[in-house]
Amino acid sequence: EAGVAQSPRYKIIEKRQSVAFWCNPISGHATLYWYQQILGQGPKLLIQFQNNGVVDDSQLPKDRFSAERLKGVDSTLKIQPAKLEDSAVYLCASSLTGSRPPGEQYFGPGTRLTVT
Amino acid sequence: SQQGEEDPQALSIQEGENATMNCSYKTSINNLQWYRQNSGRGLVHLILIRSNEREKHSGRLRVTLDTSKKSSSLLITASRAADTASYFCATARAGGTSYGKLTFGQGTILTVHP
């Protein structure tokens, strides 16, 4: 079974520029998550989708971050404009269901963003 | 804020030794999960233990959960160099506005020397 795919793997941009990350979850997984992982810390949930609807975006900085999941499959996370503190690894994960409580999540390799 | 806090922050051992990592949390949970992250990679799920379970095994992994102390431990027996990674605990709260969300700790960096 193919895993969670993410692109690009690395991105370097200047502050105030925009950037977009793409994620393709495991086929058939209804729930998709975007996490931000700052160096030396654990992942922090930014947004959770159940199919193409948003379940939780309470920690998404909505003034600069946006995300969408069209047709309930692929997802895109955008930052505009980027700040220095956005430098981090952005992880996409998926799970078969959006069960409560949450079960096992499958993670992609992540996109390492450096903002200069 | 992070729900789980791992201890120690870093652990260095020799191949063949056992490694023990601890996780403490603050609120009631439904389950607790452990993940491994190799350098430059995504996280890999290791094991899930529910709040009504006290111990769980998977291969060389043994996880315990003490809900009265709000703590969990991950034991890796007979460690190998390939076990070198960061290990994170993640908690699923039992209720409240965060129900349905995993909250990760800061992680323990394990280094196994050959």
Side-chain angles (χ1 to χ4, degrees):
Chain A
E1 150 182 284
V4 176
Q6 288 188 249
S7 68
R9 289 296 311 277
Y10 306 92
K11 190 74 177 179
I12 300 174
I13 62 171
E14 295 182 351
K15 59 184 179 185
R16 291 187 290 273
Q17 286 187 326
S18 63
V19 65
F21 312 125
W22 173 82
C23 172
N24 180 240
I26 292 174
S27 177
H29 279 197
T31 307
L32 185 147
Y33 313 82
W34 282 103
Y35 289 88
Q36 179 192 59
Q37 186 178 22
I38 293 172
L39 186 65
Q41 298 183 17
K44 181 183 82 172
L45 180 69
L46 293 176
I47 189 167
Q48 176 181 344
F49 291 95
Q50 178 77 13
N51 296 309
N52 60 348
V54 175
V55 174
D56 185 340
D57 63 356
S58 57
Q59 296 193 94
L60 185 74
K62 299 180 185 64
D63 58 332
R64 299 184 299 107
F65 285 65
S66 65
E68 60 181 8
R69 189 183 184 196
L70 300 176
K71 300 180 182 178
V73 182
D74 293 4
S75 178
T76 303
L77 176 70
K78 296 180 181 177
I79 307 175
Q80 181 179 14
K83 293 185 176 181
L84 295 177
E85 60 259 36
D86 298 331
S87 293
V89 175
Y90 291 85
L91 295 163
C92 178
S94 68
S95 63
L96 187 58
T97 70
S99 63
R100 293 188 171 195
E104 177 180 355
Q105 296 182 12
Y106 297 80
F107 283 79
T111 296
R112 183 177 298 277
L113 173 67
T114 302
V115 182
T116 62
Chain B
S1 63
Q2 303 283 359
Q3 159 77 321
E5 296 295 333
E6 282 96 334
D7 169 62
Q9 290 189 331
L11 181 61
S12 181
I13 60 174
Q14 295 296 127
E15 211 166 26
E17 294 181 339
N18 295 341
T20 300
M21 287 158 270
N22 303 296
C23 171
S24 60
Y25 56 91
K26 298 175 182 174
T27 63
S28 295
I29 62 170
N30 190 287
N31 71 59
L32 185 145
Q33 303 178 30
W34 284 91
Y35 287 80
R36 182 187 74 227
Q37 184 175 37
N38 291 88
S39 180
R41 304 274 185 92
L43 282 76
V44 174
H45 182 268
L46 296 176
I47 198 164
L48 180 155
I49 186 165
R50 293 181 173 79
S51 60
N52 61 353
E53 297 175 311
R54 290 297 166 258
E55 188 172 312
K56 208 163 182 180
H57 297 255
S58 177
R60 294 184 296 113
L61 305 180
R62 172 178 168 255
V63 169
T64 60
L65 179 64
D66 187 333
T67 53
S68 66
K69 295 181 179 178
K70 291 186 168 59
S71 67
S72 173
S73 66
L74 171 67
L75 169 67
I76 304 174
T77 60
S79 62
R80 306 165 181 168
D83 294 328
T84 294
S86 293
Y87 291 81
F88 295 91
C89 69
T91 51
R93 294 190 185 184
T97 57
S98 296
Y99 190 52
K101 183 170 88 172
L102 277 184
T103 304
F104 287 82
Q106 304 267 24
T108 292
I109 300 171
L110 173 65
T111 303
V112 182
H113 300 280

